[in-house]
Amino acid sequence: MVENWDDFLFPYQEASNELKLKLRGIRSQYLERGERSPIEFVTSRIKPVDSIKEKMQRRHIDESRLSEDMEDICGLRIMCEFLDDIYTVVDVLRKRNDINILEERDYVHNEKASGYRSYHIVFSYPLQLVDGQREILAEIQIRTLAMNFWATIEHSLNYKHPDVFPPEVHERLQSASETAYKLDEEMSEIKQELDRDLKKQKDKHE
Amino acid sequence: MVENWDDFLFPYQEASNELKLKLRGIRSQYLERGERSPIEFVTSRIKPVDSIKEKMQRRHIDESRLSEDMEDICGLRIMCEFLDDIYTVVDVLRKRNDINILEERDYVHNEKASGYRSYHIVFSYPLQLVDGQREILAEIQIRTLAMNFWATIEHSLNYKHPDVFPPEVHERLQSASETAYKLDEEMSEIKQELDRDLKKQKDKHE
Amino acid sequence: MVENWDDFLFPYQEASNELKLKLRGIRSQYLERGERSPIEFVTSRIKPVDSIKEKMQRRHIDESRLSEDMEDICGLRIMCEFLDDIYTVVDVLRKRNDINILEERDYVHNEKASGYRSYHIVFSYPLQLVDGQREILAEIQIRTLAMNFWATIEHSLNYKHPDVFPPEVHERLQSASETAYKLDEEMSEIKQELDRDLKKQKDKHE
Amino acid sequence: MVENWDDFLFPYQEASNELKLKLRGIRSQYLERGERSPIEFVTSRIKPVDSIKEKMQRRHIDESRLSEDMEDICGLRIMCEFLDDIYTVVDVLRKRNDINILEERDYVHNEKASGYRSYHIVFSYPLQLVDGQREILAEIQIRTLAMNFWATIEHSLNYKHPDVFPPEVHERLQSASETAYKLDEEMSEIKQELDRDLKKQKDKHE
């Protein structure tokens, strides 16, 4: 049982601080080299106690098994410019020795029924505490700016209207998600075309 | 003449730090009250020396008049969820006593030829330095997440391909901007519909 | 009456964040110029609710007059290397237009009975909130590293042993404070001697 | 050879950011539990390029072996209230799995000729970079507030007067260091006396 939520959440907050700093460091490294970064920005949040309790009920998670069974108490989010950047970031994360990836879920190509798109990585992070090491479960969501636009607003609407959306609203949101995704594809194509152009001009000059 | 760019930019960096903290404080105040914040997140940047020099040439700005004539050396950006939030933020900024608004430009409803949309506020900020007060020119850009999606990518493409875009690319980017704007309008309409629904339900219960 | 302490303390936290950033900016400005900074480091704290309640009782402050009558809910601390630096910092603060100094208390030369030494400045700070400007009372304590050594430990001993210290402990602490102060004076004298030396050498070379 | 100092120092800056956050986390953990923290505050600095070059010459370190042979390019500092706290912190650091301690030097009990006192730990830190893991050498200095008072001022005097101090100044600084150390011992004794008092009172009540 959780006797004191502040005590319970402390290691998650610490892990979150360390991981956010480390992920922002990836962006810094690309920029320091003079390269475009596949990471545009990084945010983090600790799941509020109310949401933890609500999810325990909904998913039948026992309070004594929270640390093992709830994967997103410590949540990080990485925003990318282009679709390809998502998979570049996934590759970079797979190579790190300071996290142990447990599961990957590609909601970019297999969107949820709501229209939600993102790439999820669940992992454990060995946190050093005064009394020794502890493995902390955490989740990173990787998405484009367009996916983040949609997910932020959908979450905001959901928050204020906690019931299931009326079918018509559900469809309009799905369709908006589809449009946002097509915008992502269009931007990628424009980038590829410009890159081809640039290559041609260079080839001419040689 | 600017003898030392670090010296020249120091007050801009200080002003930027203070203003970013203050704008983030607006968001905190809404959240502390348990309300949705019209500000989703805030970023800032100091214009790199290369860009300052390039703009001086392009706009025929004399180096001795940089502090008076270049308005965006200190740049802040506020991202909003919904179109309406932009104007809520503008109202909140107009009421502040610690900035003096000099000019407002509504590129939300009057987009630039490129397709760029944002609301710009140019203002001066009285910065306290060791040797007294100094007025610093600064610019805030206020935009939705969808506008930010488009502007971020367009800027990134521009950066790598500094020449004028080929006409076909120009048109595709304009059209993508239009689609992003329609997504903003669609999301606002969905929100309004849900708000009306919520009101009806409440009225029934009374 | 204070109905919600989080609501009550929010503006103090905001003011504290802004003031800490601004005071650290003073240090940055000296360093950027290549000069020694009279400010070594800056800390801040919001008075814990328990301490506010205890002080209300002890000082007979009415809860409805907390914002007007309790001056140190928002507390800042500036640490200096040398005794003289304290008065340099006081001068710099007096020139700022963004704070209104209400009272100064020189506990450096008029130490408290406990042996406590610091220079206190009570001031009001015009904070910009969503609903308009609000004057926030705040206190800055300016002290040397040696004074901070003594005050930190005395506070720590007091915290764990909340009763009045036994007379013998009281005297030992007073005497330790005196020794720390003499160390400050000795360090200032050494600095002056070295500065005289340096001047002599320069004069010879000319 | 170091071709670009920004590139060379980037991993040190990253390691420094991560380590400072982690060390501050130790303090947070004590406070969260409602206990006094043996860590009062933490600072960090990257050695300036000028100092690196000066030390390379003085210590005959080859530029190609900088990463292996210069241990304090990434420097961290932990300040403690009481002498005992230094050794508590050392124990906590020895238990961490994310640093590999290479050497410890006890300048607390074996002060340098100058009078300098601190406990030094040299270690390597496995930093995760985009292109894989890299071991970064770093140094932590652990000292009391009184030792920090002395060392800060001595460093400041040294910086402005880079020649060897005149013998008389040297002696006065040594003697000031001795006095500061006796203050540390006196404060520890007062604490022990108060702790004995507290225990006696508790025993009476039982």
Side-chain angles (χ1 to χ4, degrees):
Chain A
M1 287 301 116
V2 175
E3 284 174 25
N4 178 322
W5 282 99
D6 283 344
D7 289 358
F8 177 79
L9 292 176
F10 176 81
Y12 291 94
Q13 185 61 62
E14 273 302 302
S16 169
N17 294 345
E18 295 183 11
L19 288 161
K20 184 165 60 176
L21 186 77
K22 288 174 169 192
L23 296 177
R24 286 179 173 168
I26 299 176
R27 173 172 163 86
S28 305
Q29 200 188 346
Y30 280 96
L31 298 185
E32 198 279 324
R33 289 167 171 187
E35 296 175 26
R36 192 179 71 76
S37 166
I39 293 179
E40 182 63 19
F41 64 96
V42 179
T43 63
S44 69
R45 73 102 187 77
I46 297 301
K47 205 177 187 67
V49 174
D50 283 355
S51 312
I52 294 178
K53 287 181 175 166
E54 183 273 322
K55 192 172 181 174
M56 278 198 311
Q57 274 208 306
R58 184 161 40 86
R59 297 275 186 96
H60 308 290
I61 297 175
D62 198 83
E63 201 167 305
S64 66
R65 294 202 37 90
L66 257 185
S67 305
E68 293 83 33
D69 293 355
M70 198 173 289
E71 298 161 343
D72 65 344
I73 295 175
C74 173
L76 293 130
R77 201 168 281 158
I78 294 176
M79 263 59 69
C80 306
E81 284 186 297
F82 296 102
L83 280 168
D84 285 357
D85 292 337
I86 294 177
Y87 297 95
T88 304
V89 171
V90 171
D91 278 342
V92 168
L93 295 178
R94 282 181 188 148
K95 278 191 228 146
R96 293 185 72 98
N97 294 332
D98 56 351
I99 61 175
N100 309 304
I101 296 182
L102 302 173
E103 202 179 330
E104 302 190 13
R105 298 186 197 118
D106 186 342
Y107 297 124
V108 173
H109 289 103
N110 312 292
E111 73 270 24
K112 291 193 182 180
S114 62
Y116 174 85
R117 280 189 168 91
S118 279
Y119 195 99
H120 288 198
I121 293 183
V122 176
F123 62 99
S124 77
Y125 176 71
L127 181 71
Q128 308 303 315
L129 291 167
V130 170
D131 18 28
Q133 180 174 308
R134 198 173 127 202
E135 295 284 336
I136 303 292
L137 269 191
E139 185 189 78
I140 302 184
Q141 303 174 344
I142 312 162
R143 46 172 80 158
T144 61
L145 293 171
M147 292 171 192
N148 189 49
F149 150 77
W150 184 90
T152 302
I153 291 180
E154 201 261 358
H155 182 266
S156 173
L157 296 176
N158 239 313
Y159 190 81
K160 221 179 147 187
H161 309 267
D163 296 334
V164 176
F165 290 138
E168 188 225 326
V169 166
H170 179 74
E171 267 167 50
R172 286 175 78 175
L173 281 170
Q174 265 186 330
S175 156
S177 167
E178 202 55 32
T179 308
Y181 189 63
K182 278 183 189 145
L183 271 178
D184 267 336
E185 291 181 319
E186 169 70 357
M187 291 312 223
S188 293
E189 278 173 35
I190 296 177
K191 179 169 187 288
Q192 280 154 24
E193 190 177 320
L194 283 169
D195 286 350
R196 273 194 303 271
D197 256 39
L198 209 66
K199 204 177 165 297
K200 257 190 236 163
Q201 283 175 33
K202 271 189 195 154
D203 291 351
K204 261 191 215 160
H205 285 276
E206 278 157 20
Chain B
M1 287 299 116
V2 175
E3 284 174 25
N4 179 322
W5 283 99
D6 284 343
D7 289 358
F8 177 79
L9 291 176
F10 176 82
Y12 292 94
Q13 186 60 64
E14 273 303 302
S16 169
N17 294 346
E18 296 183 12
L19 287 162
K20 184 165 61 176
L21 186 77
K22 288 174 169 193
L23 297 177
R24 286 178 173 167
I26 298 176
R27 174 172 163 86
S28 305
Q29 200 188 345
Y30 279 97
L31 298 184
E32 198 279 324
R33 289 168 172 185
E35 297 175 25
R36 191 178 71 76
S37 165
I39 292 179
E40 184 61 19
F41 64 96
V42 179
T43 63
S44 68
R45 72 102 187 78
I46 297 301
K47 204 176 189 67
V49 174
D50 282 355
S51 312
I52 294 177
K53 287 180 177 168
E54 183 273 321
K55 192 172 182 174
M56 278 198 311
Q57 274 207 306
R58 186 163 36 89
R59 297 276 185 96
H60 307 289
I61 297 175
D62 198 82
E63 201 167 304
S64 66
R65 294 203 35 91
L66 257 186
S67 305
E68 294 82 34
D69 293 354
M70 198 173 288
E71 298 161 343
D72 65 344
I73 295 176
C74 173
L76 292 130
R77 202 168 280 159
I78 294 177
M79 264 58 71
C80 307
E81 283 186 298
F82 296 102
L83 281 167
D84 285 357
D85 292 337
I86 294 177
Y87 298 94
T88 305
V89 171
V90 170
D91 278 342
V92 169
L93 294 178
R94 282 180 187 147
K95 277 190 227 147
R96 293 184 74 98
N97 295 332
D98 57 351
I99 61 174
N100 308 305
I101 296 183
L102 302 173
E103 201 179 332
E104 303 190 13
R105 297 185 198 119
D106 187 342
Y107 297 123
V108 173
H109 289 102
N110 311 293
E111 74 269 23
K112 291 193 182 181
S114 62
Y116 174 85
R117 279 189 169 90
S118 280
Y119 195 100
H120 288 199
I121 293 183
V122 176
F123 62 99
S124 77
Y125 177 72
L127 180 72
Q128 308 303 315
L129 291 168
V130 169
D131 19 28
Q133 179 173 308
R134 197 171 130 204
E135 296 284 337
I136 303 292
L137 269 191
E139 185 189 77
I140 301 184
Q141 302 174 344
I142 311 163
R143 44 172 80 158
T144 62
L145 294 171
M147 292 171 192
N148 190 49
F149 150 78
W150 184 90
T152 302
I153 292 181
E154 201 261 359
H155 182 265
S156 174
L157 296 176
N158 239 313
Y159 190 81
K160 224 179 145 188
H161 308 266
D163 296 335
V164 175
F165 290 138
E168 187 224 328
V169 166
H170 179 74
E171 266 167 51
R172 285 175 78 174
L173 280 170
Q174 264 185 330
S175 156
S177 166
E178 202 54 33
T179 308
Y181 189 62
K182 277 182 190 146
L183 270 178
D184 267 335
E185 291 181 319
E186 168 71 355
M187 290 313 222
S188 293
E189 278 173 36
I190 296 177
K191 180 170 186 285
Q192 281 154 24
E193 190 177 319
L194 284 169
D195 286 349
R196 273 193 303 272
D197 257 38
L198 210 66
K199 203 175 165 299
K200 258 191 235 161
Q201 284 173 33
K202 271 190 194 152
D203 292 350
K204 262 191 214 159
H205 286 276
E206 279 157 22
Chain C
M1 286 301 116
V2 175
E3 284 173 26
N4 178 320
W5 283 100
D6 283 345
D7 289 358
F8 176 79
L9 291 176
F10 176 81
Y12 291 94
Q13 187 60 63
E14 273 303 302
S16 170
N17 294 346
E18 295 182 12
L19 287 161
K20 185 165 61 177
L21 185 77
K22 288 174 169 192
L23 297 177
R24 286 179 173 167
I26 299 176
R27 173 173 164 85
S28 305
Q29 200 189 345
Y30 279 97
L31 299 185
E32 198 278 326
R33 289 168 172 186
E35 297 176 23
R36 192 179 70 77
S37 166
I39 292 179
E40 184 62 20
F41 64 96
V42 179
T43 63
S44 68
R45 72 101 188 78
I46 297 300
K47 206 177 187 69
V49 175
D50 283 354
S51 312
I52 293 178
K53 286 181 177 166
E54 183 274 320
K55 191 172 182 176
M56 278 200 308
Q57 273 208 308
R58 183 160 41 87
R59 296 278 185 94
H60 308 289
I61 297 175
D62 198 83
E63 203 167 304
S64 65
R65 294 202 36 90
L66 257 185
S67 305
E68 293 83 33
D69 293 354
M70 199 173 288
E71 298 161 342
D72 65 344
I73 294 176
C74 174
L76 292 131
R77 202 169 279 160
I78 294 177
M79 264 58 71
C80 308
E81 284 187 299
F82 296 102
L83 281 167
D84 285 356
D85 292 336
I86 294 177
Y87 298 95
T88 306
V89 171
V90 171
D91 278 343
V92 169
L93 294 178
R94 281 179 188 149
K95 277 191 228 147
R96 293 184 74 97
N97 294 334
D98 56 352
I99 62 174
N100 308 304
I101 297 183
L102 302 174
E103 202 180 329
E104 302 190 13
R105 298 187 197 116
D106 186 343
Y107 297 124
V108 173
H109 289 103
N110 312 293
E111 74 269 25
K112 291 193 183 179
S114 62
Y116 174 85
R117 279 190 169 91
S118 279
Y119 195 100
H120 288 199
I121 293 183
V122 176
F123 63 99
S124 77
Y125 177 71
L127 181 72
Q128 308 303 315
L129 291 168
V130 170
D131 17 29
Q133 179 172 307
R134 196 171 131 206
E135 295 285 336
I136 303 293
L137 269 191
E139 185 189 77
I140 302 184
Q141 303 173 344
I142 312 163
R143 46 172 78 158
T144 62
L145 292 171
M147 292 171 193
N148 191 48
F149 151 77
W150 184 90
T152 303
I153 292 182
E154 201 260 359
H155 182 265
S156 174
L157 295 175
N158 239 312
Y159 190 81
K160 222 178 145 188
H161 308 267
D163 297 334
V164 175
F165 290 138
E168 189 225 325
V169 165
H170 179 75
E171 267 168 51
R172 285 175 79 173
L173 281 169
Q174 265 187 331
S175 157
S177 166
E178 202 56 32
T179 308
Y181 189 63
K182 278 183 189 144
L183 271 178
D184 267 336
E185 291 182 318
E186 169 71 357
M187 291 311 222
S188 293
E189 278 173 35
I190 296 177
K191 180 169 186 286
Q192 280 155 24
E193 191 177 319
L194 284 169
D195 286 350
R196 273 193 303 271
D197 257 39
L198 210 66
K199 203 175 165 297
K200 256 190 236 163
Q201 284 173 33
K202 272 190 195 154
D203 291 351
K204 260 190 215 160
H205 285 277
E206 280 158 22
Chain D
M1 285 302 117
V2 175
E3 284 174 25
N4 179 322
W5 282 100
D6 285 343
D7 289 0
F8 177 79
L9 291 176
F10 176 81
Y12 291 94
Q13 186 60 63
E14 273 303 303
S16 169
N17 295 345
E18 294 183 12
L19 287 161
K20 185 165 60 176
L21 185 77
K22 287 174 169 191
L23 296 177
R24 286 179 173 167
I26 299 176
R27 173 172 164 86
S28 306
Q29 200 188 346
Y30 279 97
L31 298 185
E32 198 279 324
R33 289 168 171 186
E35 296 175 25
R36 192 179 71 76
S37 166
I39 293 178
E40 184 62 20
F41 64 96
V42 180
T43 62
S44 69
R45 72 102 188 77
I46 297 300
K47 206 177 186 69
V49 174
D50 283 354
S51 312
I52 294 178
K53 287 180 175 167
E54 183 274 321
K55 192 172 181 175
M56 278 199 311
Q57 274 209 307
R58 184 162 38 88
R59 297 276 186 94
H60 307 290
I61 297 174
D62 198 83
E63 202 166 304
S64 66
R65 294 203 34 91
L66 257 185
S67 305
E68 294 83 34
D69 293 354
M70 199 173 289
E71 298 161 342
D72 65 344
I73 295 175
C74 173
L76 292 130
R77 201 168 280 160
I78 294 177
M79 265 57 72
C80 307
E81 283 187 299
F82 296 102
L83 281 167
D84 285 357
D85 292 338
I86 294 176
Y87 298 95
T88 305
V89 171
V90 171
D91 278 343
V92 168
L93 294 178
R94 282 181 188 146
K95 277 190 228 148
R96 293 184 73 98
N97 294 334
D98 55 352
I99 60 175
N100 308 304
I101 296 183
L102 301 173
E103 201 179 332
E104 302 190 13
R105 299 187 196 117
D106 187 343
Y107 296 124
V108 173
H109 289 102
N110 311 293
E111 74 269 24
K112 291 194 182 178
S114 62
Y116 175 84
R117 279 190 168 91
S118 279
Y119 196 100
H120 288 199
I121 293 183
V122 176
F123 62 99
S124 77
Y125 177 72
L127 181 72
Q128 308 303 314
L129 291 167
V130 169
D131 18 27
Q133 180 174 307
R134 195 169 132 205
E135 295 285 337
I136 303 293
L137 268 191
E139 185 190 76
I140 302 185
Q141 303 174 343
I142 311 163
R143 46 172 80 158
T144 62
L145 293 171
M147 291 171 192
N148 190 49
F149 150 77
W150 184 90
T152 303
I153 291 181
E154 201 261 357
H155 182 266
S156 173
L157 296 176
N158 240 313
Y159 190 82
K160 221 179 146 187
H161 308 267
D163 296 335
V164 175
F165 290 139
E168 189 225 324
V169 166
H170 179 75
E171 268 167 51
R172 286 174 79 174
L173 280 170
Q174 265 186 330
S175 156
S177 166
E178 203 54 32
T179 307
Y181 189 64
K182 278 183 189 144
L183 270 178
D184 267 335
E185 291 182 318
E186 169 71 357
M187 290 313 223
S188 293
E189 279 173 35
I190 295 177
K191 180 168 185 287
Q192 280 155 24
E193 190 177 318
L194 283 169
D195 285 350
R196 273 194 302 271
D197 257 39
L198 209 67
K199 204 176 164 298
K200 256 190 238 164
Q201 284 172 33
K202 271 190 195 153
D203 291 351
K204 260 191 215 160
H205 284 278
E206 278 159 22

